[in-house]
Amino acid sequence: MDYREDLDDLDGRLRALAGRAAEGRSPARTRQLVWVAGELARYAAHRTPPPALADLLGAEVGLQYLELAAAGALRARGGAARASTAASNRTRRACLLLLAQAAGLPEPDLDRLPLPPLASRISAASTRQAGAELATESLRGRQLPIWVRHTLVVELIADTGMRVGELAALEVGDVDLTAKTVTYIPRPPAARNPQAPRTVALSPAALRAVRAWLPVRTRLTELTPRTSALLVSVHGNHDGEGLRRPPGLPLQPRGLARAHRRAVATLNARRATAELVPGTLGLLRPADQRPPGTEP
């Protein structure tokens, strides 16, 4: 085979391997395995000849991959390289071990690259303060849907400690305004078995945020009436083929994370307090309020 065929073959084997490694694992871990397999294929594309699969999942080449990926050099989209977060680097490490295991290879020794420390989560009180500021921001001038939606996101995190994938999976029917509760299915990345639904009482601030968002959501979904997702897009967009997509479509985890970064950048610029709102949604999950029976 020539160089291009070698790369295509390796890419196919990595994708198949990610599928095997994902068997019985959570949707979040499945996405992470596919992501790491894609980065490994991009790493291999920069090597002549491409490394063999066993070498790619071994310690020497694996460490080189982790260092390049941490620096942001293997991103799928163009633009300037941006260093990855500690959480992303830990995820890459865990997925590399799972891929090696699925391939029947020895576990690579990655200890020469120190495990990156995780950033600290903020307290429940700080998360609620961020929600209050977002609610105030949503009332500046005309009510902007993006601020109304993000107030709800932060209040739900403060009440439940939900992860970004759990938030994106919420449907309108999961919120019971009569019982003042929200029901969701926990999706911890390391879980191998489906989790039981969890019902949580909503605080007055979260209930206000739900009531403010639902009429906004109704207007946004006029062109997408079959959408059941609670959190939907507030602007139209284009898909990968250039086709126009209307607002009111389900918001995916990645889009939710991007919306959060944009929202807190504006919020932090106006903050009078020293503590800034984290730009990563996971860090808003209160450190002093972990859902029972779940891991961070």
Side-chain angles (χ1 to χ4, degrees):
M1 289 191 295
D2 63 18
Y3 175 72
R4 186 68 257 172
E5 289 175 332
D6 285 343
L7 281 179
D8 290 343
D9 177 67
L10 181 60
D11 181 62
R13 294 174 68 190
L14 282 167
R15 290 178 183 276
L17 191 59
R20 291 205 301 275
E23 290 177 4
R25 301 190 185 278
S26 70
R29 183 62 86 195
T30 299
R31 289 193 299 271
Q32 291 164 355
L33 284 161
V34 172
W35 165 58
V36 169
E39 283 195 335
L40 286 166
R42 287 191 290 279
Y43 170 85
H46 289 85
R47 300 292 176 271
T48 306
L53 182 64
D55 293 332
L56 195 58
L57 300 177
E60 291 298 327
V61 179
L63 286 169
Q64 294 172 20
Y65 152 70
L66 289 173
E67 289 177 336
L68 270 177
L74 299 175
R75 295 185 183 276
R77 298 185 179 185
R82 185 177 72 252
S84 289
T85 64
S88 293
N89 293 330
R90 282 174 170 256
T91 296
R92 288 188 179 99
R93 199 181 186 111
C95 288
L96 194 61
L97 297 177
L98 290 174
L99 290 169
Q101 183 183 49
L105 298 170
E107 183 175 294
D109 180 9
L110 305 175
D111 289 343
R112 278 179 289 161
L113 188 65
L115 195 64
L118 286 173
S120 299
R121 294 189 201 169
I122 62 177
S123 66
S126 295
T127 301
R128 293 191 185 283
Q129 176 62 25
E133 291 183 33
L134 282 163
T136 300
E137 194 70 37
S138 72
L139 297 175
R140 285 177 181 267
R142 61 191 180 91
Q143 198 176 45
L144 293 177
I146 193 166
W147 290 107
V148 181
R149 184 188 67 193
H150 216 64
T151 302
L152 174 58
V153 167
V154 173
E155 294 295 355
L156 287 173
I157 293 175
D159 279 6
T160 68
M162 273 193 260
R163 301 169 180 83
V164 63
E166 296 160 354
L167 287 162
L170 285 176
E171 297 189 352
V172 174
D174 294 328
V175 178
D176 187 332
L177 289 176
T178 302
K180 301 179 180 179
T181 61
V182 62
T183 300
Y184 71 99
I185 298 177
R187 300 169 183 238
R192 296 189 67 95
N193 299 310
Q195 305 291 295
R198 180 172 180 250
T199 299
V200 182
L202 292 174
S203 64
L207 287 168
R208 285 195 298 272
V210 172
R211 292 188 176 107
W213 168 245
L214 288 179
V216 175
R217 182 195 174 281
T218 298
R219 293 195 298 273
L220 291 170
T221 56
E222 287 177 353
L223 296 178
T224 55
R226 295 185 180 180
T227 301
S228 59
L230 176 64
L231 301 172
V232 298
S233 57
V234 300
H235 300 297
N237 209 332
H238 293 85
D239 64 14
E241 298 179 353
L243 295 176
R244 181 72 177 172
R245 295 166 63 87
L249 292 173
L251 199 61
Q252 301 302 313
R254 189 172 294 180
L256 188 53
R258 283 198 299 267
H260 173 72
R261 285 195 295 270
R262 290 194 295 267
V264 300
T266 302
L267 189 62
N268 284 335
R270 294 175 178 163
R271 273 203 137 192
T273 58
E275 184 181 30
L276 299 181
V277 180
T280 302
L281 271 171
L283 297 182
L284 280 176
R285 295 176 61 215
D288 45 359
Q289 181 245 30
R290 183 186 303 172
T294 64
E295 295 300 319

